[in-house]
Amino acid sequence: MKEMRAAAGEPAQAAARPGARSRGRPRVVILGGGPNRIGQGIEFDYCCVHASLALREEGYESIMVNCNPETVSTDYDTSDRLYFEPLTLEDVLAIVEAEKPIGVIVQFGGQTPLNLAIPLQKAGVKILGTSPQAIDRAEDRKRFATLLRKLDLRQPPNGTARSPDEALRVAKRLGYPVLVRPSYVLGGRAMEIVYGPEDLNEYMARAVMASPQRPVLVDKFLEDAAEIDVDAVSDGGRTVIAGVMEHIEEAGIHSGDSCCALPPFTLAENIVAEIEESTRALARELGVRGLINVQYALRGDTVYVLEVNPRASRTVPFVAKATGVPWADVATRVIIGRTLRELGITREVRPPHSAVKAPVFPWSRFPGVDPVLGPEMKSTGEVMGVDAKFGVAFAKSQIAAGNAWAPRGKVFVSVNNRDKRAITSIAKRLAGLGFSLVATHGTAAVLKNSGLALEELPKVQEGARPNVIDRMKNGEIAFLINTPSGRHCRPFEISIRATAVRLGIPLVTTLSGAAAVVLGLEEMAAGQMGVRSLQQYQGDLAGAAAPQP
């Protein structure tokens, strides 16, 4: 059973497997992620469990510290010793004092244990894997900028601010729009894209309250850029890329809320090669030992480094399933001294199939909430679709996420002015699949000028009936393509999207997402969807590895 402290001030008590303490094996402490929350969820628990099992196989006694009863890491038989304790400096130091481990692993539990790395080291605790100094070098804005300049890598123009006036000066220098966020937070909390001084002043009043001891980070927002996630593992010398994932949604939507595909579905080979080499350079310069995650933005042919996390990321389980390699297990063995060559991990895996990760959102539990995505994470889970073709893999992921895209019916299309030109080709493809189109006046005019037949509906705020909300209530709408008009969406826009969520009607709020939906519908209409087990897909990976340069 899991034991907790009997009373405040008493020494931490641990649950242990019978006989685990009598073997005299060296001990390693693994810090979990603490309570699940948006931005730090079960993906990190997956990594902690794999770390514990790998340590046991390597002859170590694994000691887990975590405080969430709903996780596998806190199951009685996952580790040799379990401390069901909060992830605070005081509690961890008490456990280290009681257990006398050879070291502590902080890189598998997300941001919470990572924030303890330097305080633990200052208290004399040995941190295994990537050094706390390297972690801070990636987290600290000024040190990180110096690092990128040394490696001749680009990042969006940026600055830091501790007051509204300072934020206004930085934003004026960078030029609007800017992406602003408090530093050292989970899941992009309080992160926003702001388009002018008034919005920035309003944001700073809230952000400084959210993080009074930390500066606010201000970045030039790269509009119309693609975002790429990379996971890699390094043994301090050799670095192997675990996976390069291309986001389906454009940059500006939190990586945890974006669908992403592995391998990339539109990136040119030279861009992928540049991204992989940049990741190796960053891992080498930081002296990474274990996992590293790097987020990039691609605007035109220019690659920008957005963020470097010298730890496990939420995509590690997805990449492991897509490539057939247990990357958290591999990273653990590297952390305790094994080399990638010893483990037989010397080449990148190039999957012959396409795997798509899709987020799952809790919209149905929050009636009336606007389901528009942004830089602050809102998803509470994720699913995966796999197929030989990207479109079908995406369709499978959407079905798993609860979005049942009908093969026929009426599609309501209403997009903001910036998206009106681009929606035309998507609408034509939908018409080619046999869908009928309905739209409000502005979007309808653009589509009619392109030769498309459609039904024009009155806008909700005009008062004429039936409008799109009436049509949805009558069961006449198969799905909606509705991109928001701006940061401050009008109430009638929110009511349309909220009604779709309440009635369970699929909704897409980005053009890139709409294009992926249409591609999936086209490939399914061609009868290309098949069913195979994950093991069968992973069996195809033999010989799919690429030599490392």
Side-chain angles (χ1 to χ4, degrees):
M1 63 180 288
K2 301 166 186 173
E3 298 180 9
M4 298 185 69
R5 293 185 187 182
E10 292 186 4
Q13 299 295 311
R17 295 189 302 113
R21 298 298 306 274
S22 62
R23 299 177 185 177
R25 296 173 294 160
R27 301 171 190 166
V28 174
V29 170
I30 303 168
L31 300 187
N36 282 358
R37 70 203 86 169
I38 291 178
Q40 183 162 303
I42 206 68
E43 302 93 341
F44 296 110
D45 199 67
Y46 164 99
C47 295
C48 290
V49 170
H50 275 257
S52 181
L53 299 178
L55 286 172
R56 187 178 302 170
E57 291 180 6
E58 290 286 332
Y60 291 80
E61 185 175 333
S62 60
I63 300 168
M64 186 70 63
V65 183
N66 208 357
C67 56
N68 187 342
E70 301 301 322
T71 56
V72 180
S73 68
T74 54
D75 283 353
Y76 178 69
D77 57 354
T78 294
S79 300
D80 295 299
R81 300 275 290 169
L82 168 65
Y83 283 84
F84 197 91
E85 302 290 335
L87 274 296
T88 67
L89 180 62
E90 179 184 4
D91 287 280
V92 174
L93 287 175
I95 293 166
V96 169
E97 176 65 25
E99 291 291 347
K100 304 294 192 295
I102 64 168
V104 175
I105 296 177
V106 301
Q107 64 177 259
F108 291 127
Q111 191 67 39
T112 298
L114 209 67
N115 289 344
L116 293 175
I118 288 181
L120 285 172
Q121 187 183 58
K122 287 181 177 178
V125 177
K126 181 175 178 58
I127 304 299
L128 300 178
T130 306
S131 72
Q133 287 70 32
I135 294 170
D136 185 67
R137 197 176 173 195
E139 294 271 3
D140 183 90
R141 176 55 60 97
K142 292 183 178 179
R143 298 185 70 193
F144 183 56
T146 302
L147 165 68
L148 293 183
R149 284 195 297 270
K150 179 179 178 180
L151 297 176
D152 197 25
L153 298 177
R154 303 177 192 86
Q155 70 175 147
N158 62 80
T160 59
R162 289 179 171 82
S163 68
D165 288 342
E166 191 175 2
L168 288 169
R169 288 195 297 271
V170 172
K172 184 177 180 180
R173 173 172 60 83
L174 300 179
Y176 292 95
V178 292
L179 183 68
V180 287
R181 57 177 171 147
S183 53
Y184 299 91
V185 296
L186 296 171
R189 186 174 63 87
M191 184 186 294
E192 287 185 18
I193 302 167
V194 299
Y195 292 86
E198 290 184 7
D199 289 344
L200 185 56
N201 271 325
E202 178 187 331
Y203 172 85
M204 286 298 295
R206 289 180 280 112
V208 173
M209 288 177 58
S211 185
Q213 307 303 321
R214 306 283 191 175
V216 169
L217 311 180
V218 185
D219 294 88
K220 174 65 179 175
F221 176 61
L222 301 176
E223 295 184 284
D224 302 318
E227 190 164 340
I228 300 102
D229 249 293
V230 182
D231 284 330
V233 64
S234 179
D235 59 13
R238 178 186 295 271
T239 299
V240 172
I241 307 299
V244 177
M245 294 153 278
E246 181 180 356
H247 290 205
I248 292 170
E249 288 81 7
E250 293 177 349
I253 293 176
H254 193 279
S255 59
D257 287 353
S258 294
C259 294
C260 70
L262 191 164
F265 59 100
T266 68
L267 299 186
E269 289 186 9
N270 66 305
I271 295 294
V272 174
E274 180 182 346
I275 288 170
E276 290 183 338
E277 184 51 42
S278 297
T279 303
R280 293 190 191 98
L282 286 163
R284 185 168 53 246
E285 179 64 26
L286 287 169
V288 169
R289 194 168 189 94
L291 284 161
I292 180 173
N293 169 262
V294 188
Q295 295 174 18
Y296 297 91
L298 176 66
R299 192 179 189 186
D301 292 327
T302 304
V303 176
Y304 295 88
V305 179
L306 298 180
E307 189 175 327
V308 176
N309 299 301
R311 58 165 171 82
S313 74
R314 67 176 58 82
T315 51
V316 166
F318 166 68
V319 175
K321 289 175 171 59
T323 61
V325 179
W327 294 106
D329 178 291
V330 170
T332 303
R333 297 173 197 267
V334 163
I335 287 169
I336 59 174
R338 301 286 296 277
T339 67
L340 289 171
R341 184 172 294 280
E342 288 174 345
L343 299 172
I345 307 295
T346 58
R347 299 187 297 172
E348 278 74 30
V349 177
R350 310 291 195 206
H353 51 259
S354 182
V356 175
K357 178 182 75 71
V360 177
F361 296 98
W363 307 131
S364 61
R365 296 178 180 271
F366 300 95
V369 170
D370 190 5
V372 168
L373 304 179
E376 185 168 4
M377 188 173 170
K378 299 175 182 177
S379 62
T380 53
E382 59 188 23
V383 293
M384 176 178 175
V386 188
D387 201 273
K389 288 184 170 290
F390 162 73
V392 179
F394 176 79
K396 287 180 176 180
S397 73
Q398 292 300 298
I399 293 169
N403 297 317
W405 303 96
R408 293 288 185 276
K410 290 183 178 180
V411 179
F412 174 73
V413 183
S414 178
V415 298
N416 60 48
N417 289 332
R418 191 181 68 173
D419 294 335
K420 281 186 168 60
R421 180 178 297 179
I423 193 61
T424 302
S425 62
I426 292 174
K428 287 181 177 179
R429 290 164 64 190
L430 284 170
L433 287 167
F435 288 93
S436 55
L437 305 175
V438 294
T440 49
H441 178 71
T443 304
V446 173
L447 298 180
K448 285 179 180 178
N449 287 339
S450 300
L452 285 165
L454 54 84
E455 178 185 359
E456 186 172 330
L457 296 181
K459 295 182 177 180
V460 172
Q461 69 271 29
E462 292 174 349
R465 313 290 287 270
N467 55 40
V468 64
I469 291 179
D470 299 320
R471 294 296 182 89
M472 283 192 283
K473 290 179 178 178
N474 293 337
E476 299 177 36
I477 303 297
F479 65 89
L480 297 85
I481 300 173
N482 179 226
T483 62
S485 60
R487 177 174 176 266
H488 299 290
C489 295
R490 289 165 285 190
F492 69 86
E493 289 184 66
I494 297 173
S495 68
I496 292 171
R497 293 189 286 265
T499 300
V501 169
R502 181 171 58 84
L503 297 176
I505 302 172
L507 166 71
V508 60
T509 59
T510 64
L511 281 190
S512 53
V517 167
V518 173
L519 179 59
L521 290 169
E522 289 171 339
E523 292 183 358
M524 285 195 297
Q528 296 177 2
M529 179 178 283
V531 177
R532 301 178 73 204
S533 69
L534 189 61
Q535 289 78 9
Q536 287 174 307
Y537 281 111
Q538 291 179 350
D540 296 339
L541 291 167
Q548 183 186 20

